[in-house]
Amino acid sequence: MLDQSAPPKDRTQAALPSQGLGARLMRRKPVEHLVAEGGQGEGGALRRSLGLWQLTMISIGATLGTGIFVVLGEAVPKAGPAVTLSFVIAGLTALFSALSYAELAGTIPVAGSSYSYAYATMGELIAWVCGWCLVLEYGVSVAAVAVGWGEYLNELLDGTLGVTIPDALSAPPGDGGVFNLPALIVVMLAMAFLLGGARESARANTVMVAVKIAALVLFCAIGVQGFRSGNYENFMPLGMAGVSAAGATLFFSYIGFDAASTAGEEAKDAQRDLPRAIMLSLVIVTALYVLVAAVAVGAKPWQRFGDSEAALAQIMREVTGQTFWGTLLAFCAVIAIASVVLTVLYGQTRILFAMSRDGLVPKVFAKVHPKTGTPRANTLIVSLFCGVLAAAIPLGQLADATSIGTLFAFALVNVAVVVLRRTRPEMPRTFRVPLSPVLPALGFGFCVWMMGSLSAVTWVVFGVWMAVGLVFYFVYGHRRSRLATPAPAEK
């Protein structure tokens, strides 16, 4: 464990207000201070109640289902049958970054995830940029997954009651609707669970994860009966450019593995369990993604994907010629995707909690309810924002915006692990990235490459988002940062 009483040994002391702008932007927060503040909020503290099993389920819950149940229909038209290769490439990119996350999560077990890692290694401005990317990553992905949940809810209603929610109330503007009511509903349901406490939310998530794994295994068992080798004859019809473009979109599917790192202040033994949970969840998720994608493309020509986000339920119905199996899968997907919304929404609130505690965003996000041990106001604000976003923005635009924010944050994590190795080599590490700095450099390179595969529109959205974030930082966060005020001199 870290010695929280020991003074920092590197040059991470707060910059004095009299120093120049450059020095203030580069001020770093000592690792010991980050760890010592763990769990502390405004008016209360988070509760340490999560073990290895719960942390792993949080990562799987936030990851498994997003790419398969929701984004597969968006990715297949870009890569064709080679979408399976796209999953592998996206998984490798996630793996390199996961190694860096695992080392940093075991060394700096706090709620801020890569935001806190950047604050300890690269300075406040970079930390803010990383945190702002995480807000995009988590907040927008909640909305994106909620959109897909509505598609499967309609499949379920059609198979059981013979009715569907009208397009006007089940699709956002631009996709033939006015307001996506199901997407708003699932976010509000997740909010209700989170307000009950981390332990209760983790229990509900574990049940939902078990359902989603069972659903995907069932899909493979039935879908393989409709497998046609001819669907793979033209394996890469759109070339490597299509594979990388699909991989960039599918990287959206892997963002959940870092959700465990946002639970660092509610884990019983964070330094031991966080690295294990991150790596274990990524291995399980990648294996299932590749298997399900291979069966799906084998059972349905790639040209016919993209007409619905509920692609797997349609394949089940087409293979069996019966509505029952497709309806059953839709039921499982409704539960499974809800777990993604729950766990990613959880991660978003904890990142804002850490940023608020540092003074970079308003204090309301760090207020902890004394009875439940949760940031209640934070959860309400974030849930309402994500719910409205889900109800108003089409899925494809949300997925790509999430991917670019994720890739940028992951690239910074790969840099942070190398910087911390050099500035604090004496710190105890429960996990170490092998072949460092080679693997972190590969992780950084893969992230940059996949960002380059995203559309110009996505880059424009990202640029606007970052510009807004920088304005907010210089108007609010830079002045109110806790590091802007020097600590009182020790006696």
Side-chain angles (χ1 to χ4, degrees):
M1 298 292 289
L2 290 174
D3 181 4
Q4 297 178 5
S5 63
K9 297 181 180 179
D10 66 344
R11 298 181 299 276
T12 55
Q13 296 292 343
L16 295 176
S18 59
Q19 291 183 312
L21 176 62
R24 296 199 300 272
L25 296 180
M26 293 299 292
R27 56 197 175 201
R28 291 178 285 172
K29 189 170 184 179
V31 173
E32 289 80 4
H33 292 185
L34 282 166
V35 177
E37 291 176 349
Q40 299 302 315
E42 294 284 333
L46 302 176
R47 297 174 180 173
R48 293 192 178 275
S49 59
L50 305 178
L52 175 61
W53 176 250
Q54 290 91 343
L55 292 170
T56 303
M57 290 300 103
I58 286 174
S59 281
I60 295 177
T63 312
L64 185 59
T66 311
I68 288 298
F69 285 112
V70 178
V71 186
L72 185 63
E74 297 275 340
V76 172
K78 297 180 180 179
V83 71
T84 52
L85 183 58
S86 300
F87 267 115
V88 173
I89 292 173
L92 282 174
T93 304
L95 175 61
F96 290 133
S97 297
L99 292 170
S100 294
Y101 261 100
E103 177 169 330
L104 291 172
T107 308
I108 313 174
V110 293
S113 185
S114 52
Y115 155 76
S116 295
Y117 309 152
Y119 213 163
T121 57
M122 291 179 283
E124 186 172 281
L125 178 61
I126 300 299
W128 169 263
V129 169
C130 188
W132 195 242
C133 286
L134 291 175
V135 172
L136 179 67
E137 171 190 341
Y138 278 84
V140 178
S141 67
V142 167
V145 177
V147 172
W149 185 82
E151 290 283 336
Y152 276 98
L153 179 63
N154 258 338
E155 288 281 335
L156 177 61
L157 292 174
D158 186 37
T160 54
L161 303 177
V163 299
T164 58
I165 302 172
D167 288 345
L169 295 178
S170 63
D175 276 2
V178 176
F179 194 77
N180 193 330
L181 181 61
L184 177 61
I185 289 174
V186 71
V187 175
M188 294 299 101
L189 289 174
M191 178 188 73
F193 276 110
L194 291 176
L195 290 175
R199 180 187 297 177
E200 292 72 15
S201 300
R203 288 173 178 169
N205 174 65
T206 299
V207 173
M208 290 188 281
V209 168
V211 170
K212 80 167 74 178
I213 292 177
L216 293 176
V217 171
L218 175 65
F219 169 81
C220 291
I222 293 179
V224 74
Q225 299 176 30
F227 192 91
R228 300 290 182 271
S229 59
N231 290 340
Y232 277 94
E233 286 183 355
N234 188 8
F235 182 70
M236 201 180 293
L238 302 174
M240 195 62 198
V243 173
S244 62
T249 296
L250 288 172
F251 193 78
F252 167 80
S253 313
Y254 288 92
I255 70 166
F257 78 78
D258 64 324
S261 67
T262 67
E265 296 175 23
E266 290 161 285
K268 296 177 182 177
D269 189 345
Q271 290 181 301
R272 183 196 68 183
D273 292 340
L274 286 180
R276 297 179 182 181
I278 289 171
M279 299 308 301
L280 182 59
S281 63
L282 185 62
V283 169
I284 293 172
V285 165
T286 301
L288 280 170
Y289 274 166
V290 173
L291 179 61
V292 173
V295 171
V297 175
K300 183 175 183 176
W302 69 270
Q303 298 91 338
R304 292 174 51 207
F305 281 83
D307 55 350
S308 171
E309 280 82 25
L312 299 190
Q314 290 184 350
I315 291 172
M316 292 274 277
R317 187 166 56 246
E318 292 171 3
V319 168
T320 62
Q322 303 175 13
T323 60
F324 170 78
W325 295 108
T327 302
L328 178 61
L329 186 74
F331 169 74
C332 294
V334 166
I335 296 175
I337 297 174
S339 76
V340 180
V341 175
L342 173 66
T343 48
V344 175
L345 191 64
Y346 166 85
Q348 174 70 99
T349 60
R350 271 44 179 187
I351 289 165
L352 285 171
F353 174 85
M355 296 177 73
S356 176
R357 187 171 57 199
D358 292 333
L360 301 185
V361 298
K363 289 183 178 180
V364 66
F365 291 100
K367 289 184 178 179
V368 176
H369 192 271
K371 187 174 182 180
T372 62
T374 60
R376 176 171 289 186
N378 180 343
T379 303
L380 287 169
I381 294 169
V382 171
S383 299
L384 290 172
F385 172 79
C386 293
V388 172
L389 197 66
I393 308 295
L395 172 64
Q397 296 176 22
L398 289 171
D400 283 349
T402 303
S403 291
I404 196 167
T406 305
L407 288 163
F408 193 90
F410 284 10
L412 292 178
V413 168
N414 284 293
V415 175
V417 76
V418 176
V419 172
L420 194 62
R421 284 273 191 102
R422 292 182 178 275
T423 58
R424 301 296 303 276
E426 82 288 350
M427 289 185 64
R429 290 166 169 82
T430 55
F431 177 87
R432 298 179 70 92
V433 179
L435 302 177
S436 179
V438 175
L439 292 188
L442 286 173
F444 179 84
F446 266 77
C447 289
V448 172
W449 173 55
M450 295 190 75
M451 287 177 70
S453 300
L454 293 168
S455 68
V457 173
T458 302
W459 275 96
V460 170
V461 171
F462 182 66
V464 171
W465 175 260
M466 294 309 302
V468 171
L470 289 173
V471 169
F472 186 91
Y473 170 72
F474 283 107
V475 171
Y476 182 92
H478 178 65
R479 300 176 183 274
R480 296 175 181 264
S481 168
R482 288 183 60 189
L483 293 188
T485 304
E490 294 184 4
K491 296 182 180 181

